[in-house]
Amino acid sequence: MFKYQIVIPSLILIVWLLLAILGPWLPLNPNYITLVDILKPPSLLEWLGYDDLGRPVLDRLIMGAGTSFFVAFWVISLSLTIGTLIGTISGWAGGYIDLIIVRIMDIFLAFPGILLAIALSGILGPGIENVVFALSIVGWVGFARLTRAQTLSIKNREHVLAAIALGASVPRILYYHILPLLMAPLLIEATFGIAGVVVAEAGLSFLGLGVQPPAASWGNMIKDGTGYMLIAPHLVLFPGLALFLVVLSVNMLGDKLRDRLDVKS
Amino acid sequence: MFSFFLSRLISVLVVILGVITVVFLLIHLVPGDPVQAMLGETATPTDLEALRETLGLNQPLMTQWWLYITGLLQGDLGQSLYSKEPIIDILMARFPATLELATAGLFVAILIALPLGSIAALRKDSIYDNSAMIFSLLGVSIPNFWLGPMLILLFSLILGWFPVSGQDGLLSLVLPAITLGTALSAILARMVRATLLEVLNEDYIRTARAKGLRESAIVIHHALRNASLPIMTVLGLQLGTLLGGAVITEIIFAWPGIGQLTIESIQRRDYPVVQACILLISLSYVLVNTFTDLVYGWLDPRVRYSV
């Protein structure tokens, strides 16, 4: 049977990945202004038309793919590393260390979703590095909470007790005996995390707090397009569609992965 | 019961204190000199010193923190650098709009999720179930800052049914509420389905069936009622997403609430107002969650004994 629920989203994500990585080497002119082409609708030759400044939407869309991929990659890598480290230490150490870390996590979880990221990137000023920083500050908590809970349940299993009895060092136990068992839930959390970060990056750029012009993000493309919706709906339609397809694909694969690895959400 | 309340109260107070501290520290993250950033390049040294004095930024960090907290306790959030008005007055003027939007978004979410999730659970693996789950997948994947403009394009610009933006009566609330509520409805529909499926396998449902109760009575009085508690908890937790989403929704629809105020204040470098907005939204979120928690503990003894 053709597993379209896996194949189609995988293809979409591969295209996203390839465009993001190969984008800088493709013959693109994302910032080249052609005044006569301002707001020109899509046609057979110019697939996605031109924006309000006369720049090719397709080229900017590919540049935006690079932005979202860059942010997603760094935010997930940073949050995953920091969160896993803090979470396993918290779960393993217990006692006061655990108590303090849990309280700190509670405080970070008390800020609604993207709000802290909005405040941080608003105060730090726009720019892609600040977006990565702001979203990582928000993102590590999810990983930390997950790994702490898992470590708590794993640390009393026989194989860990055996390792302790054999005199293995704590880093060794955490790395060889606990971390491998965290991989499945972490993989799923990271997958859904990608979807969240891609939307959050575009959201920040939509609010004018993300990457700055002339750099392209799907978020600021949507924002710029909203002023021309009646005469040039393609400006909002295409970046939104790209964003939607990537997020949808990540979510679909995440669902499949969760079923496959049989981890409770 | 008392010890349950007490332990919750203490942990909430710790969280609130932490949230206030993080918000307080935000202003120190401003790159370079925050006062210079707020007043711009043209400010004279006298102006800079005066603002530093007003904001207390020339004091040691701990003193500043203490002054911030005591000020908060007296309802004093300082002055807006932009309009010179007391911040508390600005917040009070803007908060009702956000509350209205969030409530409407929540209403839309429940209105969609409850029937959708119930039908999906009751007709598991049918075409209804599959459609509901596809809707749910699409709903969580569609960014609200794209859904909003698309709704405006279709329903305001092309069909002309609703106003494009602003807050002007019930009609102007419809599109923002849908924009805000869709993602939550998708998450909630899945939750309703999963919880209901679990509850429908319980013994008391079999008993109710054995008694010969009508299916509708079983679903409404026995299944949904028992499923409502876990659903409530998820709802409380997802309220954060709702409040965060409200910021973006307010920008799309020029809705005059706290979210719009936050972004305006960021653009004006009016950082004390930014801090106050973040604080207000976060504290409302914490309080609502604590309230759900306590109600849950009060309604379901299993919860409070496990603490």
Side-chain angles (χ1 to χ4, degrees), chain A residues 82-159:
Chain A
I82 297 167
T84 308
L85 197 68
I86 293 178
T88 37
I89 290 175
S90 181
W92 178 264
Y96 281 108
I97 298 178
D98 185 41
L99 196 71
I100 292 169
I101 293 178
V102 168
R103 285 282 175 258
I104 293 175
M105 291 199 284
D106 280 346
I107 291 167
F108 275 90
L109 288 169
F111 290 97
I114 196 175
L115 194 70
L116 188 60
I118 290 176
L120 282 171
S121 37
I123 280 178
L124 291 169
I128 200 163
E129 299 86 5
N130 288 343
V131 170
V132 170
F133 176 77
L135 293 177
S136 305
I137 291 282
V138 179
W140 69 273
V141 195
F143 293 102
R145 196 168 54 155
L146 177 76
T147 45
R148 176 186 170 270
Q150 297 282 328
T151 308
L152 276 178
S153 74
I154 294 170
K155 76 173 181 185
N156 289 322
R157 288 206 193 161
E158 281 89 351
H159 76 279

Side-chain angles (χ1 to χ4, degrees), chain B residues 24 53 55-57 59-74 76:
Chain B
F24 158 77
E53 179 74 37
L55 294 175
L57 288 172
Q59 315 242 23
L61 198 65
M62 279 312 283
T63 319
Q64 289 181 35
W65 179 76
W66 181 247
L67 286 175
Y68 191 71
I69 295 209
T70 46
L72 277 183
L73 288 175
Q74 296 163 18
D76 176 18

Side-chain angles (χ1 to χ4, degrees), chain A residues 15 21 25 27 32 36 39 43 58 64 71 74 83 112 129-130 155 181 184 188 206 222 228-229 248 254:
Chain A
V15 170
I21 294 172
W25 285 279
Y32 189 75
V36 286
L39 299 180
S43 64
L58 178 64
V71 172
W74 281 109
E129 299 86 5
N130 288 343
K155 76 173 181 185
L181 292 177
I188 292 162
F206 177 84
I222 294 176
Y228 305 93
M229 272 201 298
L248 182 68

